[in-house]
Amino acid sequence: MRPLGKVLCATGIIAVLLAFFWKDTFNPESLSGARVLLTGASAGIGEQMAYHYARFGAEILLTARREAVLQKVMEKCLTLGAKKVFYVPADMSSPSEPEKVVQFAVQKLGGLDYLVLNHIGNSPFQMWNGDVEYTRWLMQVNFFSYVALTTAALPTLEKNKGSLVVVSSLTGKIPTPFTTSYSATKFALDGFFSSLRHELIMQKRNISVTLCILGLIDTDTALEKTRGKVYLTASPAAEAALAIIQAGATKVQEVFYPWWLQYTCSLWVLFPCHRNQVLQSYYNYSSP
Ligand SMILES: *[C@@H]1O[C@H](CO)[C@@H](O)[C@H](O)[C@H]1NC(C)=O
Ligand SMILES: *[C@@H]1O[C@H](CO)[C@@H](O)[C@H](O)[C@H]1NC(C)=O
């Protein structure tokens, strides 16, 4: 483990340096009064993003399914310094909800500067079990609702030179075991939103699209699901949340968190012969 320790130490130093220079370009004041619609805001990374936006003085509309939890997050946001906070409970597996949520947000905040798409449906971390209906449902929650929310929000985002922030995963760049349907929804996001980004630029429509590629994050759900099944260290949710917010505010096209995932993706492309074997060695599968 010694050489690994050295590598980790070196990467840590580089990360600190990068963070130092990166912060230079991020102006927290740009978020003061920014109008943000945040999905999946009741727990995990979304909840942490809500608190960061609150500290930066944003005006936030939170959405997720559970009203009681949303209310608690809203109250904490107010104590942290958010200018305004609203919430609307919504289930993104219902095709009619996305448009309603955007309408509600525009009505409450008077427009949008940020649409931050972060919610996901429950995804078991297990081998493909043949449940096609489940995959269809997850595609609705993790992908189609993102498309519908974006479509409804594009006019107000364009008017305000706004930003679209899409939270994805390493498994949306590199297929990993135990995530068949989840991985498919994240690949779909990359396809749709990276294509949309081209079109917005070609049409000189001033809306940035930021795709966020996250590794294993230490949310309760992720830790519980992956325990004993994968040999990877989880990164802190609050830090992931901040990386996403900074990337959106600086209109970066893609952000990787932790930052070295970018190099993991490059290696994946460069070494097609050995990559599957190496990747599988990080997973614990004992046949039943
Ligand atoms: C888009 O809007 C941003 C923020 O207002 C501005 O800095 C940038 O110059 C604009 N870009 C174009 C191409 O108009
Ligand atoms: C691998 O999985 C098996 C079966 O679930 C479990 O008993 C074992 O402890 C796991 N190994 C590690 C190193 O987590």
Side-chain angles (χ1 to χ4, degrees), residues 207-227:
I207 307 165
S208 62
V209 179
T210 300
L211 187 71
C212 309
I213 315 300
L214 306 186
L216 182 60
I217 305 298
D218 69 355
T219 59
D220 297 340
T221 333
L223 289 183
E224 190 189 317
K225 281 181 184 157
T226 57
R227 188 168 296 129

PDB file of all heavy atoms in Angstrom, residues 207-227:
ATOM      1  N   ILE A 207     -26.842  29.937 -22.952  1.00  0.00           N
ATOM      2  CA  ILE A 207     -27.152  29.078 -21.811  1.00  0.00           C
ATOM      3  C   ILE A 207     -26.014  28.073 -21.700  1.00  0.00           C
ATOM      4  O   ILE A 207     -25.737  27.354 -22.660  1.00  0.00           O
ATOM      5  CB  ILE A 207     -28.463  28.289 -22.044  1.00  0.00           C
ATOM      6  CG1 ILE A 207     -29.605  29.218 -22.424  1.00  0.00           C
ATOM      7  CG2 ILE A 207     -28.818  27.450 -20.826  1.00  0.00           C
ATOM      8  CD1 ILE A 207     -30.809  28.490 -23.012  1.00  0.00           C
ATOM      9  N   SER A 208     -25.354  28.028 -20.565  1.00  0.00           N
ATOM     10  CA  SER A 208     -24.262  27.066 -20.423  1.00  0.00           C
ATOM     11  C   SER A 208     -24.814  25.719 -19.969  1.00  0.00           C
ATOM     12  O   SER A 208     -25.840  25.651 -19.301  1.00  0.00           O
ATOM     13  CB  SER A 208     -23.231  27.586 -19.420  1.00  0.00           C
ATOM     14  OG  SER A 208     -23.827  27.738 -18.154  1.00  0.00           O
ATOM     15  N   VAL A 209     -24.128  24.652 -20.365  1.00  0.00           N
ATOM     16  CA  VAL A 209     -24.515  23.302 -19.945  1.00  0.00           C
ATOM     17  C   VAL A 209     -23.310  22.671 -19.247  1.00  0.00           C
ATOM     18  O   VAL A 209     -22.255  22.500 -19.855  1.00  0.00           O
ATOM     19  CB  VAL A 209     -24.937  22.433 -21.150  1.00  0.00           C
ATOM     20  CG1 VAL A 209     -25.304  21.024 -20.683  1.00  0.00           C
ATOM     21  CG2 VAL A 209     -26.096  23.071 -21.902  1.00  0.00           C
ATOM     22  N   THR A 210     -23.464  22.358 -17.976  1.00  0.00           N
ATOM     23  CA  THR A 210     -22.382  21.756 -17.190  1.00  0.00           C
ATOM     24  C   THR A 210     -22.750  20.331 -16.812  1.00  0.00           C
ATOM     25  O   THR A 210     -23.762  20.105 -16.154  1.00  0.00           O
ATOM     26  CB  THR A 210     -22.138  22.575 -15.904  1.00  0.00           C
ATOM     27  OG1 THR A 210     -21.782  23.907 -16.257  1.00  0.00           O
ATOM     28  CG2 THR A 210     -21.026  21.953 -15.069  1.00  0.00           C
ATOM     29  N   LEU A 211     -21.948  19.372 -17.271  1.00  0.00           N
ATOM     30  CA  LEU A 211     -22.172  17.968 -16.919  1.00  0.00           C
ATOM     31  C   LEU A 211     -21.208  17.602 -15.794  1.00  0.00           C
ATOM     32  O   LEU A 211     -20.005  17.821 -15.921  1.00  0.00           O
ATOM     33  CB  LEU A 211     -21.940  17.085 -18.149  1.00  0.00           C
ATOM     34  CG  LEU A 211     -22.302  15.607 -18.005  1.00  0.00           C
ATOM     35  CD1 LEU A 211     -23.820  15.419 -17.949  1.00  0.00           C
ATOM     36  CD2 LEU A 211     -21.724  14.802 -19.167  1.00  0.00           C
ATOM     37  N   CYS A 212     -21.746  17.056 -14.706  1.00  0.00           N
ATOM     38  CA  CYS A 212     -20.929  16.767 -13.522  1.00  0.00           C
ATOM     39  C   CYS A 212     -20.729  15.264 -13.377  1.00  0.00           C
ATOM     40  O   CYS A 212     -21.693  14.519 -13.218  1.00  0.00           O
ATOM     41  CB  CYS A 212     -21.599  17.310 -12.266  1.00  0.00           C
ATOM     42  SG  CYS A 212     -22.073  19.031 -12.438  1.00  0.00           S
ATOM     43  N   ILE A 213     -19.473  14.838 -13.432  1.00  0.00           N
ATOM     44  CA  ILE A 213     -19.151  13.410 -13.361  1.00  0.00           C
ATOM     45  C   ILE A 213     -18.640  13.112 -11.958  1.00  0.00           C
ATOM     46  O   ILE A 213     -17.523  13.488 -11.606  1.00  0.00           O
ATOM     47  CB  ILE A 213     -18.040  13.049 -14.381  1.00  0.00           C
ATOM     48  CG1 ILE A 213     -18.300  13.689 -15.750  1.00  0.00           C
ATOM     49  CG2 ILE A 213     -17.856  11.548 -14.485  1.00  0.00           C
ATOM     50  CD1 ILE A 213     -19.569  13.298 -16.410  1.00  0.00           C
ATOM     51  N   LEU A 214     -19.462  12.444 -11.177  1.00  0.00           N
ATOM     52  CA  LEU A 214     -19.102  12.178  -9.789  1.00  0.00           C
ATOM     53  C   LEU A 214     -18.681  10.726  -9.588  1.00  0.00           C
ATOM     54  O   LEU A 214     -19.230   9.827 -10.214  1.00  0.00           O
ATOM     55  CB  LEU A 214     -20.289  12.466  -8.863  1.00  0.00           C
ATOM     56  CG  LEU A 214     -20.941  13.845  -8.959  1.00  0.00           C
ATOM     57  CD1 LEU A 214     -21.992  13.985  -7.880  1.00  0.00           C
ATOM     58  CD2 LEU A 214     -19.908  14.951  -8.842  1.00  0.00           C
ATOM     59  N   GLY A 215     -17.726  10.538  -8.680  1.00  0.00           N
ATOM     60  CA  GLY A 215     -17.343   9.195  -8.260  1.00  0.00           C
ATOM     61  C   GLY A 215     -18.223   8.749  -7.108  1.00  0.00           C
ATOM     62  O   GLY A 215     -19.323   9.271  -6.913  1.00  0.00           O
ATOM     63  N   LEU A 216     -17.732   7.793  -6.331  1.00  0.00           N
ATOM     64  CA  LEU A 216     -18.487   7.313  -5.178  1.00  0.00           C
ATOM     65  C   LEU A 216     -18.503   8.401  -4.104  1.00  0.00           C
ATOM     66  O   LEU A 216     -17.456   8.861  -3.667  1.00  0.00           O
ATOM     67  CB  LEU A 216     -17.851   6.030  -4.633  1.00  0.00           C
ATOM     68  CG  LEU A 216     -18.551   5.376  -3.437  1.00  0.00           C
ATOM     69  CD1 LEU A 216     -19.981   4.981  -3.787  1.00  0.00           C
ATOM     70  CD2 LEU A 216     -17.768   4.166  -2.955  1.00  0.00           C
ATOM     71  N   ILE A 217     -19.699   8.811  -3.695  1.00  0.00           N
ATOM     72  CA  ILE A 217     -19.857   9.892  -2.723  1.00  0.00           C
ATOM     73  C   ILE A 217     -20.429   9.297  -1.435  1.00  0.00           C
ATOM     74  O   ILE A 217     -21.252   8.376  -1.482  1.00  0.00           O
ATOM     75  CB  ILE A 217     -20.786  10.995  -3.297  1.00  0.00           C
ATOM     76  CG1 ILE A 217     -20.264  11.489  -4.658  1.00  0.00           C
ATOM     77  CG2 ILE A 217     -20.923  12.158  -2.306  1.00  0.00           C
ATOM     78  CD1 ILE A 217     -18.909  12.135  -4.655  1.00  0.00           C
ATOM     79  N   ASP A 218     -20.030   9.868  -0.300  1.00  0.00           N
ATOM     80  CA  ASP A 218     -20.364   9.248   0.991  1.00  0.00           C
ATOM     81  C   ASP A 218     -21.789   9.544   1.495  1.00  0.00           C
ATOM     82  O   ASP A 218     -21.990   9.747   2.686  1.00  0.00           O
ATOM     83  CB  ASP A 218     -19.335   9.653   2.053  1.00  0.00           C
ATOM     84  CG  ASP A 218     -19.433  11.124   2.438  1.00  0.00           C
ATOM     85  OD1 ASP A 218     -20.226  11.857   1.818  1.00  0.00           O
ATOM     86  OD2 ASP A 218     -18.713  11.547   3.364  1.00  0.00           O
ATOM     87  N   THR A 219     -22.764   9.578   0.597  1.00  0.00           N
ATOM     88  CA  THR A 219     -24.144   9.740   1.064  1.00  0.00           C
ATOM     89  C   THR A 219     -24.578   8.424   1.738  1.00  0.00           C
ATOM     90  O   THR A 219     -24.042   7.354   1.419  1.00  0.00           O
ATOM     91  CB  THR A 219     -25.104  10.043  -0.097  1.00  0.00           C
ATOM     92  OG1 THR A 219     -25.038   8.961  -1.028  1.00  0.00           O
ATOM     93  CG2 THR A 219     -24.718  11.316  -0.820  1.00  0.00           C
ATOM     94  N   ASP A 220     -25.544   8.522   2.653  1.00  0.00           N
ATOM     95  CA  ASP A 220     -26.002   7.328   3.378  1.00  0.00           C
ATOM     96  C   ASP A 220     -26.424   6.233   2.397  1.00  0.00           C
ATOM     97  O   ASP A 220     -26.053   5.071   2.549  1.00  0.00           O
ATOM     98  CB  ASP A 220     -27.187   7.678   4.286  1.00  0.00           C
ATOM     99  CG  ASP A 220     -26.780   8.682   5.358  1.00  0.00           C
ATOM    100  OD1 ASP A 220     -25.564   8.784   5.620  1.00  0.00           O
ATOM    101  OD2 ASP A 220     -27.663   9.349   5.920  1.00  0.00           O
ATOM    102  N   THR A 221     -27.199   6.622   1.397  1.00  0.00           N
ATOM    103  CA  THR A 221     -27.719   5.647   0.434  1.00  0.00           C
ATOM    104  C   THR A 221     -26.585   4.948  -0.309  1.00  0.00           C
ATOM    105  O   THR A 221     -26.574   3.722  -0.423  1.00  0.00           O
ATOM    106  CB  THR A 221     -28.612   6.355  -0.605  1.00  0.00           C
ATOM    107  OG1 THR A 221     -29.152   7.520  -0.015  1.00  0.00           O
ATOM    108  CG2 THR A 221     -29.680   5.459  -1.125  1.00  0.00           C
ATOM    109  N   ALA A 222     -25.638   5.720  -0.808  1.00  0.00           N
ATOM    110  CA  ALA A 222     -24.557   5.134  -1.606  1.00  0.00           C
ATOM    111  C   ALA A 222     -23.694   4.208  -0.752  1.00  0.00           C
ATOM    112  O   ALA A 222     -23.337   3.110  -1.186  1.00  0.00           O
ATOM    113  CB  ALA A 222     -23.710   6.238  -2.222  1.00  0.00           C
ATOM    114  N   LEU A 223     -23.399   4.632   0.461  1.00  0.00           N
ATOM    115  CA  LEU A 223     -22.546   3.812   1.331  1.00  0.00           C
ATOM    116  C   LEU A 223     -23.232   2.503   1.679  1.00  0.00           C
ATOM    117  O   LEU A 223     -22.625   1.431   1.652  1.00  0.00           O
ATOM    118  CB  LEU A 223     -22.184   4.579   2.600  1.00  0.00           C
ATOM    119  CG  LEU A 223     -21.203   5.737   2.429  1.00  0.00           C
ATOM    120  CD1 LEU A 223     -20.875   6.359   3.776  1.00  0.00           C
ATOM    121  CD2 LEU A 223     -19.930   5.287   1.733  1.00  0.00           C
ATOM    122  N   GLU A 224     -24.504   2.610   1.994  1.00  0.00           N
ATOM    123  CA  GLU A 224     -25.253   1.418   2.394  1.00  0.00           C
ATOM    124  C   GLU A 224     -25.312   0.403   1.249  1.00  0.00           C
ATOM    125  O   GLU A 224     -25.119  -0.791   1.441  1.00  0.00           O
ATOM    126  CB  GLU A 224     -26.662   1.856   2.799  1.00  0.00           C
ATOM    127  CG  GLU A 224     -27.473   0.776   3.470  1.00  0.00           C
ATOM    128  CD  GLU A 224     -28.914   1.213   3.645  1.00  0.00           C
ATOM    129  OE1 GLU A 224     -29.137   2.380   4.034  1.00  0.00           O
ATOM    130  OE2 GLU A 224     -29.801   0.386   3.363  1.00  0.00           O
ATOM    131  N   LYS A 225     -25.550   0.923   0.016  1.00  0.00           N
ATOM    132  CA  LYS A 225     -25.710   0.021  -1.125  1.00  0.00           C
ATOM    133  C   LYS A 225     -24.410  -0.636  -1.561  1.00  0.00           C
ATOM    134  O   LYS A 225     -24.410  -1.757  -2.049  1.00  0.00           O
ATOM    135  CB  LYS A 225     -26.293   0.789  -2.305  1.00  0.00           C
ATOM    136  CG  LYS A 225     -27.764   0.971  -2.135  1.00  0.00           C
ATOM    137  CD  LYS A 225     -28.353   1.701  -3.289  1.00  0.00           C
ATOM    138  CE  LYS A 225     -29.817   1.926  -2.995  1.00  0.00           C
ATOM    139  NZ  LYS A 225     -30.339   3.042  -3.736  1.00  0.00           N
ATOM    140  N   THR A 226     -23.305   0.085  -1.427  1.00  0.00           N
ATOM    141  CA  THR A 226     -22.053  -0.432  -1.988  1.00  0.00           C
ATOM    142  C   THR A 226     -21.203  -1.156  -0.940  1.00  0.00           C
ATOM    143  O   THR A 226     -20.165  -1.716  -1.280  1.00  0.00           O
ATOM    144  CB  THR A 226     -21.218   0.722  -2.590  1.00  0.00           C
ATOM    145  OG1 THR A 226     -20.979   1.699  -1.575  1.00  0.00           O
ATOM    146  CG2 THR A 226     -21.935   1.383  -3.747  1.00  0.00           C
ATOM    147  N   ARG A 227     -21.634  -1.143   0.302  1.00  0.00           N
ATOM    148  CA  ARG A 227     -20.833  -1.731   1.393  1.00  0.00           C
ATOM    149  C   ARG A 227     -20.457  -3.189   1.102  1.00  0.00           C
ATOM    150  O   ARG A 227     -21.302  -4.008   0.784  1.00  0.00           O
ATOM    151  CB  ARG A 227     -21.598  -1.636   2.710  1.00  0.00           C
ATOM    152  CG  ARG A 227     -20.754  -2.048   3.923  1.00  0.00           C
ATOM    153  CD  ARG A 227     -21.422  -1.667   5.230  1.00  0.00           C
ATOM    154  NE  ARG A 227     -21.551  -0.230   5.367  1.00  0.00           N
ATOM    155  CZ  ARG A 227     -22.695   0.390   5.672  1.00  0.00           C
ATOM    156  NH1 ARG A 227     -23.788  -0.291   5.853  1.00  0.00           N
ATOM    157  NH2 ARG A 227     -22.730   1.698   5.761  1.00  0.00           N
TER     158      ARG A 227
END
